[in-house]
Amino acid sequence: MKFRRSERLIDMTNYLLEHPGRLVPLTFFAERYSSAKSSISEDLAIIKETFEVRGIGSLNTVPGAAGGVRYMVSIKPEEAVAFIDELCGVMTSPNRLLPGGYLYLTDLLGNPETVNKIGRIIAAAYAKKKVDVIMTMATKGIPLAYAVANYLNVPVVIVRRDNKVTEGSTVSINYVSGSSKRIQTMVLSKRSLAETSNVLIIDDFMKAGGTVNGMVSLLEEFKATVAGIAVLVESDHVEERLVDEYISLIKLSEVDEKDKTIHVTRGNYFTKEAF
Amino acid sequence: MKFRRSERLIDMTNYLLEHPGRLVPLTFFAERYSSAKSSISEDLAIIKETFEVRGIGSLNTVPGAAGGVRYMVSIKPEEAVAFIDELCGVMTSPNRLLPGGYLYLTDLLGNPETVNKIGRIIAAAYAKKKVDVIMTMATKGIPLAYAVANYLNVPVVIVRRDNKVTEGSTVSINYVSGSSKRIQTMVLSKRSLAETSNVLIIDDFMKAGGTVNGMVSLLEEFKATVAGIAVLVESDHVEERLVDEYISLIKLSEVDEKDKTIHVTRGNYFTKEAF
């Protein structure tokens, strides 16, 4: 069965979007559509241009026998800024205030479009870096971790506070929570993470950074490397931050329970060079 | 700026895939590409045909002023069968056996491609039904729940075993775990679920069905309706199942710790009429 160009473009777009970060040999597409490699190359040039113009991502062509094409996610800076500004606006609604100065954000993290957009923004910053695995802490970070992992096409490992029989043997560490100064435990299944992996740590919220710092210590037990740390929201009003190198999309600078005001701004993602 | 047809096809494909289940007015695309509605209709006819031929999904066109086009996910039966058979093969590896007859599946649920494919298979069965919300129990069901939610474009609510300050006020129920017969608690944030919602319950594993049954009871507290129940793995060797109407992708019928054998087969998804 032969495919027309228009059909090839549609199916290739779907295939590339479903396999970000993966090198797809041209012969794969040539066989899939019974087409000449030269036609496939022309198709890819059209897709590449459209992906770039529309901010969908970039297509990198690797020449040679072992070569192929790789789709890497990106986002237009103005699209990321507009989205985060909108999210900041939504977050400052006074009815999000919970007793103790906490913010209700469960609905935002329950919306797949929102979560995917956040995941896309974070993934875009790491698309060209070496990331083998995403790590997060159960449970709030899980949706974000998978959203990022989807765009980078790498597995997710989930750190827990408790041991589960279905995890097999585990490695556990004790760490000091940065804000409450309490000693806590975190546990990771031994076989879930290969040694010397490059690990991107993702979390929804960072205050002093105790949890993130704990994950960094846990990675040392696995002889793994921190490829990066990214959080959705960082809280600004802490004396001493335990973590230095990280990106945040949103900075929560003030919550006034009495006046019912919440002050949030763009995070350091938008001032870092990487962006 | 005018767009050529090839560019429109690529960008529309991306847009539709990113917004499953949503009715997109033709005028939206006409404005996006400064094109006549008649050209957009022709584009959509090409996309529709390719989506159907390649098993990507279906495009439904709603006529009239309030009309538009809606992408709904699907999967070819043979693709679903091949994937589940492969997954069954992977699951029966003896080194997955944990003490107590449990199976190590964390790596499978950590792989976004695997999770997305499972999500796609489940979503395909509910794409034409009325689903407002996906519900799951923390923590193992979360990745699957989001994968299904992505394809149906509906929010996720997460039931927990414990109260969290960041959830605001909650509704909690006690339920009896089907296999251990212990009384347990489950908690859902009050404002996370609107009354009278149609809720699809997703979980990774079901034994007697106590957890799923608990979620059904919790839904009654919210005056919500069960739109469906879908699990990745059901365990076959139980005396009495607490849940009747559900779909499962995989059936675990026997785990022999001594002989190190695991027996799994396709779940009832593949024998139900829906499929």
Side-chain angles (χ1 to χ4, degrees), chain A residues 3 11 18 22 32 54 95 109-110 112-113 116 120 139-140 146 150 153-156 160 191, chain B residues 3 11 18 22 32 54 95 109-110 112-113 116 120 139-140 146 150 153-156 160 167 191:
Chain A
F3 281 81
D11 189 61
E18 279 206 331
R22 184 185 290 185
R32 188 174 173 102
R54 308 296 311 193
N95 61 17
L109 293 174
E113 276 193 37
N116 286 339
R120 183 184 195 107
T139 55
K140 292 249 177 173
Y146 274 83
N150 266 334
N153 206 8
V154 295
V156 177
R160 304 169 146 276
R191 52 169 134 170
Chain B
F3 281 81
D11 189 61
E18 278 206 332
R22 183 185 291 184
R32 189 176 173 100
R54 308 295 313 194
N95 62 18
L109 292 174
E113 275 193 37
N116 286 338
R120 181 182 196 111
T139 55
K140 292 248 178 176
Y146 274 83
N150 266 335
N153 206 8
V154 295
V156 177
R160 304 168 147 275
E167 298 279 321
R191 53 169 135 170

Side-chain angles (χ1 to χ4, degrees), chain A residues 3 8 12 18 50 57 99 105 136-137 176 213 235 241 246 267:
Chain A
F3 281 81
R8 290 200 308 264
M12 283 167 95
E18 279 206 331
T50 308
L105 301 174
T136 192
M137 183 88 188
V176 180
N213 210 29
S235 170
R241 174 98 56 201
Y246 63 91

Side-chain angles (χ1 to χ4, degrees), chain A residues 74-149:
Chain A
S74 72
I75 191 161
K76 285 188 176 177
E78 60 269 29
E79 190 185 343
V81 165
F83 172 77
I84 292 299
D85 286 353
E86 197 192 323
L87 201 56
C88 285
V90 172
M91 276 177 65
T92 50
S93 163
N95 61 17
R96 295 199 169 270
L97 260 177
L98 296 172
Y102 291 93
L103 287 187
Y104 182 82
L105 301 174
T106 306
D107 57 332
L108 301 177
L109 293 174
N111 181 318
E113 276 193 37
T114 305
V115 170
N116 286 339
K117 190 65 89 93
I118 297 166
R120 183 184 195 107
I121 295 173
I122 294 174
Y126 294 97
K128 286 173 185 165
K129 300 205 170 117
K130 183 135 186 50
V131 175
D132 304 315
V133 178
I134 308 279
M135 174 184 261
T136 192
M137 183 88 188
T139 55
K140 292 249 177 173
I142 298 176
L144 284 186
Y146 274 83
V148 177

Side-chain angles (χ1 to χ4, degrees), chain A residues 236-247:
Chain A
D236 203 22
H237 56 293
V238 285
E239 303 135 29
E240 196 191 2
R241 174 98 56 201
L242 300 169
V243 176
D244 290 328
E245 278 296 320
Y246 63 91
I247 60 173

Side-chain angles (χ1 to χ4, degrees), chain A residues 1 3-11 13-14 17-19 22 32-33 43 46-51 53-54 56 95-100 102-107 109-113 115-116 120 138-140 142-143 146 149-151 153-158 160-161 164-169 189-193, chain B residues 1 3-11 13-14 17-19 22 32-33 43 46-51 53-54 56 95-100 102-107 109-113 115-116 120 138-140 142-143 146 149-151 153-158 160-161 164-169 189-193:
Chain A
M1 181 174 177
F3 281 81
R4 284 177 300 160
R5 163 146 294 156
S6 55
E7 293 161 11
R8 290 200 308 264
L9 291 176
I10 294 165
D11 189 61
T13 297
N14 175 59
L17 292 173
E18 279 206 331
H19 300 86
R22 184 185 290 185
R32 188 174 173 102
Y33 311 120
D43 296 343
I46 299 170
I47 295 176
K48 182 186 170 75
E49 202 203 324
T50 308
F51 274 25
V53 170
R54 308 296 311 193
I56 299 169
N95 61 17
R96 295 199 169 270
L97 260 177
L98 296 172
Y102 291 93
L103 287 187
Y104 182 82
L105 301 174
T106 306
D107 57 332
L109 293 174
N111 181 318
E113 276 193 37
V115 170
N116 286 339
R120 183 184 195 107
T139 55
K140 292 249 177 173
I142 298 176
Y146 274 83
N150 266 334
Y151 285 113
N153 206 8
V154 295
V156 177
V157 300
I158 299 171
R160 304 169 146 276
R161 300 203 183 278
K164 269 259 195 180
V165 63
T166 49
E167 298 280 322
S169 52
S189 167
K190 218 169 193 171
R191 52 169 134 170
S192 70
L193 184 62
Chain B
M1 184 177 175
F3 281 81
R4 283 177 300 160
R5 162 145 294 156
S6 56
E7 292 161 14
R8 290 200 307 264
L9 291 176
I10 293 164
D11 189 61
T13 298
N14 175 57
L17 292 173
E18 278 206 332
H19 299 87
R22 183 185 291 184
R32 189 176 173 100
Y33 310 120
D43 296 343
I46 299 170
I47 295 176
K48 182 185 169 75
E49 202 204 325
T50 308
F51 273 24
V53 169
R54 308 295 313 194
I56 298 169
N95 62 18
R96 294 198 170 270
L97 259 176
L98 297 172
Y102 291 93
L103 287 188
Y104 182 83
L105 302 174
T106 304
D107 56 332
L109 292 174
N111 181 319
E113 275 193 37
V115 170
N116 286 338
R120 181 182 196 111
T139 55
K140 292 248 178 176
I142 298 176
Y146 274 83
N150 266 335
Y151 286 114
N153 206 8
V154 295
V156 177
V157 301
I158 299 172
R160 304 168 147 275
R161 300 204 182 278
K164 267 259 197 184
V165 64
T166 49
E167 298 279 321
S169 52
S189 167
K190 219 169 191 173
R191 53 169 135 170
S192 70
L193 185 61

